[in-house]
Amino acid sequence: MSNNGLGEFLRARRSAVSPDDLGLASSGARRVAGLRREEVAVVAGVNVDYYTRLEQGRERAPSSQMLAALVRALLLDDDARDHLYRLAGNRPPRRPLPELSTVSPRLVQLVHAHTESPAIVLDLALDVLAANRLARALYSPLRELDNLARLTFLEPRARDFYPQWTRNAHAVVANLRHATGVIPDHSRLARLIETLAEGSAEFSALWAGHDVRAKSRAPKQFHHPDVGILTLTYETLEVRASPDQQLIVYQAEPGSVSAERLALLARPTVAGETAQPVGPAQWAVMPPSITSSEPVM
């Protein structure tokens, strides 16, 4: 493997961009495809000798400002930009995230393809953006399921629904604290935290602890009045196309009592009659945008 990955990447990307792509006048015969080094330097606003040293591997520590200029000059998309920053030993800049998350139709289709496991899509603020039929049945004892943090601390039925409420509350607060590091200027998340702090002294006390934890895989208990206690594990899958979203899939241990109860919950006479779609959010944070044609909780 070459020890000049940065230079090789720059040369390859330079050859893939034409002067016309950048609105540059093209003059004279070209021995190779793409841009000349001089043209990259002009568009990026850098010294051509410096850019040459980058390609030749004689300069290996460009600044973040220099990398941003090269991203513009070479017309790099988000993935190529991130790769460039990593080759240069820099952390890729954080991609801007929307105030309102929108679930893609393909992701909604994937959620509903899980017919034997409850599946939901969350954003970093723990808004529920989509849910399949079995997930709606699982959470049907709650009056509405618009946001997992809101229902944990402000939903009156939550303490009965979560037998391990204290453990769940700690995890929720740690998840939100993690989100503030990822989206520090997200006004909707800030309003959610304010709402929870005003409505729950327990939330305020836990928030002051500054615990940080992203969602991963852990057992979780639910108390459903129709089937009893269910102990489920969950897998957290990042949504590649939407960095602010996660697909959560709950599973019961095969052959366990919880698996039997989950199967019972999946019966139409239970899931179809008890599951209720979520209405508009009643708290201070604007509800998420949902693209699914089917009501979600």
Side-chain angles (χ1 to χ4, degrees):
M1 180 178 292
S2 170
N3 62 358
N4 185 24
L6 175 60
E8 291 180 355
F9 180 73
L10 290 173
R11 287 195 296 272
R13 300 304 300 192
R14 174 165 62 86
S15 68
V17 180
S18 71
D20 290 341
D21 293 334
L22 295 174
L24 300 176
S26 179
S27 61
R30 290 179 177 266
R31 291 177 296 177
V32 295
L35 300 174
R36 297 187 176 105
R37 287 173 176 168
E38 295 82 358
E39 291 168 328
V40 175
V42 168
V43 175
V46 302
N47 182 280
V48 65
D49 181 62
Y50 180 82
Y51 178 75
T52 300
R53 294 202 306 273
L54 282 175
E55 283 200 0
Q56 293 176 346
R58 294 186 289 126
E59 174 61 56
R60 298 175 180 270
S63 67
S64 296
Q65 293 80 3
M66 176 64 66
L67 292 172
L70 293 174
V71 168
R72 294 191 299 270
L74 297 174
L75 303 180
L76 302 184
D77 60 20
D78 288 344
D79 289 336
R81 178 201 63 182
D82 291 353
H83 185 63
L84 172 65
Y85 273 75
R86 294 188 186 99
L87 287 173
N90 285 26
R91 177 178 298 178
R94 182 184 294 115
R95 302 183 189 185
L97 298 176
E99 281 288 316
L100 296 178
S101 295
T102 301
V103 186
S104 72
R106 290 184 179 180
L107 182 55
V108 171
Q109 183 179 10
L110 178 61
V111 169
H112 290 289
H114 289 274
T115 58
E116 298 181 357
S117 300
I120 62 177
V121 177
L122 301 176
D123 65 10
L124 291 174
L126 303 185
D127 290 319
V128 179
L129 306 178
N132 66 3
R133 177 175 169 272
L134 190 49
R136 295 197 305 272
L138 176 64
Y139 282 94
S140 62
L142 303 174
R143 291 183 299 183
E144 60 179 346
L145 184 63
D146 52 357
N147 179 279
L148 294 187
R150 187 208 63 81
L151 73 86
T152 298
F153 289 97
L154 304 181
E155 164 64 57
R157 305 178 188 181
R159 292 177 186 272
D160 183 59
F161 182 67
Y162 292 118
Q164 299 172 324
W165 184 89
T166 299
R167 175 182 176 183
N168 184 74
H170 277 83
V172 165
V173 171
N175 293 161
L176 288 182
R177 180 65 74 178
H178 173 264
T180 62
V182 178
I183 46 176
D185 301 320
H186 204 271
S187 60
R188 192 160 52 86
L189 175 60
R191 292 195 299 271
L192 167 63
I193 294 169
E194 291 176 2
T195 299
L196 296 174
E198 292 172 359
S200 172
E202 289 159 306
F203 174 84
S204 296
L206 291 174
W207 188 251
H210 286 262
D211 289 338
V212 180
R213 182 167 65 255
K215 279 190 171 294
S216 55
R217 181 182 187 276
K220 193 171 185 177
Q221 285 192 338
F222 303 87
H223 176 217
H224 195 287
D226 292 334
V227 298
I229 300 292
L230 298 99
T231 300
L232 307 177
T233 59
Y234 64 88
E235 296 287 347
T236 302
L237 307 175
E238 302 293 336
V239 179
R240 183 73 171 82
S242 300
D244 62 325
Q245 296 176 12
Q246 298 174 323
L247 171 62
I248 312 296
V249 180
Y250 295 97
Q251 300 179 78
E253 185 70 24
S256 66
V257 173
S258 291
E260 295 174 358
R261 292 174 175 174
L262 191 61
L264 178 62
L265 191 62
R267 294 181 180 178
T269 55
V270 176
E273 294 178 1
T274 63
Q276 299 295 324
V278 170
Q282 299 299 314
W283 43 296
V285 180
M286 186 179 298
S289 173
I290 302 173
T291 60
S292 172
S293 60
E294 181 175 351
V296 300
M297 56 174 199

